[in-house]
Amino acid sequence: MDVARVAGVSRATVSRVINKAPGASDQLRARVEAAVAELGFLPDPTARALASGRHRAVDVVAFACGPPDIRWLGADPYYSRVLSGMMSLLQAQDVQMRIHAVNGDSGPGEIDAIAERVTVGAVLTSLPPELASRFYSRCRQVVSLVATSPVVPAIEADNAGGTRAAVEHLYALGRRRIAAIHGPKDNTCATARRAGYRNAMADLGLPPIEAHGYFMRESGRAAARELLERCPDLDAMVVASDLMAAGAVQAITASGRSVPHDVALVGFDDSIAAECANPPLTTMRVPVEEMAAAATRLLLTGDVPPGHRQYFPVELVQRESAGHRSGSA
């Protein structure tokens, strides 16, 4: 006999109770748990996967911040760093990985479909709060790599502190017209980085000079061009991602200025784009691999506490794009 028949409930209800998902009353949960105990049923992840015909897997869910073009997923080095941080842990457990790309138009429906098929758990890389909350309401085995809502478990970087440190570094180098290229307005990492910039500028008594992009090189180039036309006297930029910073360097040099002599620049992430830029970017390092590994490790325990939080620091990596204080070597 199976659990559903002994408990007198549907298989869907049994699935909700075993997977700790919402949608079952306390009374139904008690009946399912009693049937589980009576039958000696052990709802381990491997058994669930075998019973459903699904492989054990961790789902990686990414959200398109810019135009709806799937190429963004392969063009952004952030995602390769996430996968790198996860792979060694998954291989050791014989757990597969599934990657999903969603956007604002089809997001809710895709979120529901992905949540329904989760086995081990899901890592949310850049979902807006409303989609992350929707996912969590359907599947509790989830960890976000960005801040979303208070109840959704998250591994977070100190984005606001990182941008503040970037502004303070440029100020210490003698720069006073410090502009910022922010990320998408609906991205929580970008929101925190924007807040860090504004707070630092206010504390230093400097006026904010701002433009927005969407974390891709082309948007950084366009935003930098706009800033240079609007404020030709600016002497520094803080850019919310290395890809956008690489585009900003292109716009600066195309205007006849040089980096860092005329415009000093600090990026964010410390991705491969920072090392390959010309000049190599001074940037704020986000420990993406370590964060992804921490999220994966938590999912593999099979018990993710609601509202769980783990914080990682962001550190300045000095290369060539910010230069040095005037008069120093």
Side-chain angles (χ1 to χ4, degrees), residues 11 13 23 25 28 46 55 58 72 81 96 104 122 141 148-149 165 174-175 185 216 219 249 266 290 307 316-317:
R11 292 183 183 276
T13 298
S25 68
L28 289 179
T46 300
H55 294 289
V58 170
W72 60 268
R81 296 180 66 194
Q96 298 180 355
Q141 279 294 105
T148 55
S149 73
R175 308 289 175 157
K185 295 181 179 180
M216 299 301 288
S219 69
V249 170
V266 178
E290 293 92 328
L316 178 70
V317 177

Side-chain angles (χ1 to χ4, degrees), residues 263-274:
V263 181
L265 187 145
V266 178
F268 214 105
D269 287 334
D270 195 29
S271 68
I272 189 66

Side-chain angles (χ1 to χ4, degrees), residues 195-216:
Y197 167 80
R198 291 176 177 174
N199 290 338
M201 295 293 282
D203 290 346
L204 293 171
L206 302 177
I209 308 168
E210 302 172 293
H212 288 82
Y214 51 86
F215 287 155
M216 299 301 288

Side-chain angles (χ1 to χ4, degrees), residues 54-297:
R54 305 173 189 169
H55 294 289
R56 295 186 68 208
V58 170
D59 293 88
V60 181
V61 186
F63 182 78
C65 295
D69 184 340
I70 192 61
R71 289 178 296 178
W72 60 268
L73 189 59
D76 191 338
Y78 169 79
Y79 294 104
S80 64
R81 296 180 66 194
V82 169
L83 302 185
S84 175
M86 297 174 63
M87 281 306 298
S88 61
L89 289 169
L90 296 182
Q91 288 174 342
Q93 297 288 329
D94 193 26
V95 175
Q96 298 180 355
M97 180 188 297
R98 294 189 294 245
I99 304 172
H100 312 269
V102 301
N103 58 53
D105 295 333
S106 60
E110 290 186 76
I111 287 298
D112 293 350
I114 297 166
E116 178 68 23
R117 291 184 55 80
V118 165
T119 54
V120 175
V123 174
L124 311 181
T125 62
S126 51
L127 258 63
E130 63 275 12
L131 288 182
S133 296
R134 185 184 184 102
F135 197 106
Y136 189 70
S137 71
R138 289 156 174 76
C139 173
R140 298 297 173 87
Q141 279 294 105
V142 59
V143 182
S144 174
L145 294 183
V146 301
T148 55
S149 73
V151 72
V152 178
I155 309 292
E156 299 180 30
D158 183 12
N159 289 293
T163 312
R164 170 180 284 277
V167 172
E168 292 173 347
H169 178 68
L170 291 167
Y171 187 87
L173 295 175
R175 308 289 175 157
R176 295 297 181 268
R177 295 285 287 163
I178 306 172
I181 300 177
H182 302 304
K185 295 181 179 180
D186 60 353
N187 180 281
T188 56
C189 288
T191 298
R193 293 172 193 179
R194 182 167 55 248
Y197 167 80
R198 291 176 177 174
N199 290 338
M201 295 293 282
D203 290 346
L204 293 171
L206 302 177
I209 308 168
E210 302 172 293
H212 288 82
Y214 51 86
F215 287 155
M216 299 301 288
R217 180 177 56 84
E218 296 81 2
S219 69
R221 183 171 58 219
R225 187 184 304 118
E226 174 199 333
L227 286 170
L228 292 167
E229 291 173 354
R230 177 160 37 105
C231 304
D233 63 335
L234 67 83
D235 61 6
M237 291 186 189
V238 174
V239 188
S241 80
D242 291 336
L243 275 181
M244 289 200 301
V249 170
Q250 292 177 328
I252 293 167
T253 56
S255 74
R257 298 169 174 86
S258 66
V259 177
H261 183 267
D262 298 309
V263 181
L265 187 145
V266 178
F268 214 105
D269 287 334
D270 195 29
S271 68
I272 189 66
E275 298 182 51
C276 294
N278 185 22
L281 301 178
T282 293
T283 188
M284 304 306 302
R285 182 180 186 274
V286 179
V288 175
E289 293 87 350
E290 293 92 328
M291 294 171 64
T296 305
R297 195 174 293 113

Side-chain angles (χ1 to χ4, degrees), residues 317-329:
V317 177
Q318 298 190 54
R319 295 192 180 93
E320 300 176 25
S321 66
H324 305 278
R325 177 183 285 276
S326 299
S328 65

